[in-house]
Amino acid sequence: QVQLVESGGGLVQAGGSLRLSCAASGRTFSSYAMGWFRQAPGKEREFVAAISWTGGNTYYADSVKGRFTISRDNGKKTVYLQMNSLKPEDTAVYYCAARPARATMAYDEYIYWGQGTQVTVSS
């Protein structure tokens, strides 16, 4: 069982930065691939970024590539999403998720989810 708690969301102007954190409980965090997803009002949940359990492999949606960076600290049981050059279209609730296997971009393949943190980017 893994419990996930996101933090770090907020209101930022376009061009600004935020760093989201996702703190996990459970002894097997280091064996889980982690992903970040987001959902804007009226839209489906979409993949943002994912990282393998070792941290050696990362994956990004085309819309955030070059602006966002996913990382993890297995000692702290935390995964991060550094978001730079934010745009109004990045506004959404951001969720972290975990699965005990390789990282994927499919949200329905993740087992554990956090409650989400709101990111709002003003123009």
Side-chain angles (χ1 to χ4, degrees):
Q1 187 82 10
V2 176
Q3 292 184 324
L4 304 172
V5 179
E6 302 97 333
S7 61
L11 174 64
V12 64
Q13 289 187 333
S17 299
L18 284 175
R19 188 176 82 154
L20 305 184
S21 299
C22 175
S25 64
R27 292 177 293 178
T28 57
F29 172 78
S30 60
S31 65
Y32 283 75
M34 301 296 296
W36 284 98
F37 294 80
R38 66 187 182 186
Q39 188 166 18
K43 295 188 177 181
E44 293 188 353
R45 191 167 299 190
E46 65 173 357
F47 170 76
V48 175
I51 188 166
S52 62
W53 65 273
T54 64
N57 293 300
T58 56
Y59 310 88
Y60 297 94
D62 288 343
S63 59
V64 307
K65 201 170 293 183
R67 300 188 297 123
F68 291 10
T69 302
I70 188 171
S71 61
R72 66 189 296 161
D73 184 333
N74 286 342
K76 295 182 178 180
K77 297 183 180 179
T78 302
V79 64
Y80 305 97
L81 185 68
Q82 178 66 45
M83 306 186 295
N84 298 329
S85 302
L86 283 161
K87 304 175 181 180
E89 51 263 43
D90 294 318
T91 295
V93 177
Y94 284 70
Y95 300 88
C96 71
R99 68 188 303 263
R102 64 180 181 84
T104 77
M105 296 185 290
Y107 73 86
D108 57 355
E109 295 185 5
Y110 285 79
I111 297 174
Y112 303 106
W113 289 85
Q115 83 289 348
T117 185
Q118 176 71 47
V119 171
T120 303
V121 184
S122 63
S123 57

